[in-house]
Amino acid sequence: MKKRNYITLSAATAIILLAAGCGGGGGATQPSATSGVYTIQAKGGDSVEGSGGNSDYYGVNIYSESAIEVKKGGKVDASFSMPANPYVAHLGDNPKTVAADLNITSFENAQQVIDANLSAGTPYLMDGETYLYVADADDNVSNDKKVSSLTVEAGATVMVEPNHDYDNVDGDNNNSTGADTVVFALENDLVINGTLKTMPVEAPATPSADEMGNGDDMSNLVVYTGGAFIMGKGSLIDTSGEDAVEVAMDMVTADGNTSARGGSGGAVSINGYFYYDGWGRYDGETKSAEATPSSAYYYKWNPNLVRIEGTIDVSGGNGLGSGVGGNAGSQSNYYSNGGVVLGAGQFIMTSDGKIIAKGGNGAQGGNGGRVYVIAGNDIYNAGSIETSGGTGSISIGGHGGAIEFYSSLGSVYNSADLVAIGGDGNLSAGDGGNIYLYTDAGALYNSGALTSSGGNSTSSDGGDGRYIELYANRGDLKTSGDLIANGGNGDLSGGHGGYIDISKTVRDEVHADTNIEISGNLSINGGSGKMKAGGNAGYVYISHRVRADRYGKLAIGGVVKLLGYDSIDVSGGNGGTNGENGGNVEMRIDTYDYDGTFASPLYLVNEADITAKGGQSLNDEENGYRNYGGYVNFMMGNFDYYRESGLGTSQSYLNNSGNIDVSSADAVFYTGDAGSVEMQSVGNLQNSGSVTGIGGDVNGTDSYAGDGAYVGMWATNNATNSGNMVLSGGNGDGNVSQGGDGGGFEIYALEKATSSGDIIVNGGNSNGKVDNTDGGYGAVWSAHGTSAYTPGSINVAAGTGGTGEDGVDGMINVDGVDVTP
């Protein structure tokens, strides 16, 4: 058997040889450091007995319309200063301050208020209404005034009875039965320096046997304020579900194990999307009692302050025995959207602040709740937020809840860790929760670690990592914290890696030169599996787009900077039966400037080492095989257009000093070929990094090794390569085993092509009654000049060892002349 792989001149080469040249040399930059401290990982997960996880679905993609820098040195400064406390009290004409413990009751009608004989100054609610009243101790309830502001002093605990039945589980459409939500509106401020708690959701007076020991579900809390919402140090808003409790022996379940579920936490929504004045809704611009809801009304934000130095806890309670854990903030409704929703003009949470929305642990883990912070102006956060799912000790783990920051007109600043991990499970694990930081108009600075990984499973599948998205339209986007969305490990299969999206789309030239700057580890690896498969790697997408007008004409573009990065790894996962493909790394500068002029020089610089190897088999089973190497592409501009027109610029350049490995893995019977590396520049090109693309070896009977990689470097000006290229075919070491052909390379320039460094493109050796393999091919071409070719070691030899037809030695061609030694 004979397998041949002839490398011929590409179509791009033929056109380059006929094209007109332009411009001079230059454009080289020096490496910023010898090694970095951060990594980008999008690796397929390993599997002990099954197949490895794939990495070639997405990989790592970095796009810009001006410049890309991936450097080993430096670190992004994403720090910011917390603003001074801007709070100025607005308490209104009927403020209420609570200095001692107090229960606030909700009444069905006025007669119940009268019968309760409330003392003067006692606050109360009415079923189905949306105001907090204060009693005046007479029998005329209609004279009782609405509370304008509420302050809970330090040391005091206020417990509030629900007054709305939003879920209407009982089906009677009556807010006086089955109430699940506390709702009230204040014309002015809500200030919590002590503790504010909601009472449990109304339950039957006599619980059934299977309800004994269950933790109480807590009511939601929905507050609309026309003023500020302030939480002082040490303060607490608590709607967390109760833990299950052990019950008496006569209530033991049939299997002899005490069992009870954890209670679900109530949702908290304060200020929300709109708020009330003293008489009706208004949108922050039209203080009209007659204002009616409309679609526009949801895009108006409360102009006032939210400042948090305390804790908001909406977590689910823990289950007992075979009882499930409670969900966090699960009593969702139209107004609160579940979890925690905080709406503000300006949002500030200090390092003393904290939001907890974790699912409860149990036989099945409870789901984490959503935390949504929405502001018209700036968001400053230094307080930790966790929305992780609960652990499932018998069944599944809970899913993580989402964490979202959104500013419509201001900036988003975060220095805290945001954690949304899926819960571990005995059966399948929970998925991570999505994390979004988003601003339409301002800057985005993040220095906190953001984690959205899946949970681990001891008996089934790991949970999937989810989305981490950072988005800023107009201002600079800077992030220095670790971004982690790995798949969880599983006894069967690993969970899939998630998605990291760091992007901006600028639609006006005023903000076109704002930058994206990134430091910190980025990781979206697939989780490890045992008996089935490793999880697939996720996707890193980094994009700076400028859309200055509808025709897409290039404006002055900002720079995408990744600082401190030592390596990028998109290798396929290893498997007990087979490995999987290596992934893709693409760095691309897109231009839509078809008249040949650039608003500024384009450049692409990479110093990080890149590994995109195929995964291996972890044992020598008869069906074991490994897979292909990955693909690395550096591309600047519309290369075909500028190549044909000769409109490249000597001021633009592509420089790579990172070492690249796209080898395929060793195998038993079959392995894929090594991958490919392509670099295209609309100016000058310089590569000093080594490129390794060796085909994998095989050792089984009637087996096939992998071919070496292909490397292409093209420039509309000068192209210079000083890196070693090792692109050998793999060896066939088994009985009747075919080696792989050598790979090949092309280096082309419209002006001058220069090549030095080792060139190893030999064919792999074969064994037994098979033909021998061919050596590889190399070409160095200059369309308008003389190429400089001063290589080190050269090996283009055909493979040996087979008893069949001889292989063909490879060839090196320089400007059309065979210079093979």
Side-chain angles (χ1 to χ4, degrees), residues 730-755:
N731 295 316
D733 297 327
N735 185 27
V736 190
S737 185
Q738 175 77 60
D741 292 331
F745 69 92
E746 301 175 83
I747 302 173
Y748 299 109
L750 286 177
E751 293 192 357
K752 183 176 181 179
T754 301
S755 180

Side-chain angles (χ1 to χ4, degrees), residues 82 233 307-311 348-354 380-384 415-416:
M82 294 290 286
K233 290 183 179 181
R307 180 178 170 86
I308 299 175
E309 295 182 275
T311 298
I348 301 172
M349 184 159 74
T350 71
S351 58
D352 294 307
K354 181 185 300 184
Y380 293 90
N381 181 59
S384 63
S415 61

Side-chain angles (χ1 to χ4, degrees), residues 64-66 505-509 512 544-557 589-599 602 637-638 642:
S64 174
E65 292 179 346
S66 179
T505 301
V506 181
R507 300 188 182 277
D508 61 273
E509 295 198 20
H544 187 307
R545 301 292 193 186
V546 178
R547 295 291 181 265
D549 59 42
R550 68 181 63 188
Y551 303 107
K553 184 173 177 62
L554 183 67
I556 297 174
I589 297 176
D590 289 328
T591 62
Y592 301 90
D593 200 332
Y594 289 105
D595 64 6
T597 60
F598 297 115
L602 310 179
N638 187 330
Y642 290 107

Side-chain angles (χ1 to χ4, degrees), residues 581-651:
N581 297 335
N584 304 322
V585 175
E586 183 170 83
M587 302 182 193
R588 190 173 75 202
I589 297 176
D590 289 328
T591 62
Y592 301 90
D593 200 332
Y594 289 105
D595 64 6
T597 60
F598 297 115
S600 59
L602 310 179
Y603 64 91
L604 191 161
V605 176
N606 175 65
E607 299 174 0
D609 297 335
I610 298 175
T611 303
K613 300 173 66 174
Q616 293 189 344
S617 173
L618 301 178
N619 58 48
D620 289 328
E621 292 183 4
E622 286 289 307
N623 62 341
Y625 70 93
R626 288 80 161 179
N627 257 306
Y628 295 84
Y631 172 68
V632 176
N633 180 25
F634 300 150
M635 186 171 72
M636 293 175 55
N638 187 330
F639 180 79
D640 290 337
Y641 171 76
Y642 290 107
R643 180 194 64 221
E644 295 172 15
S645 64
L647 289 174
T649 170
S650 62
Q651 295 180 336

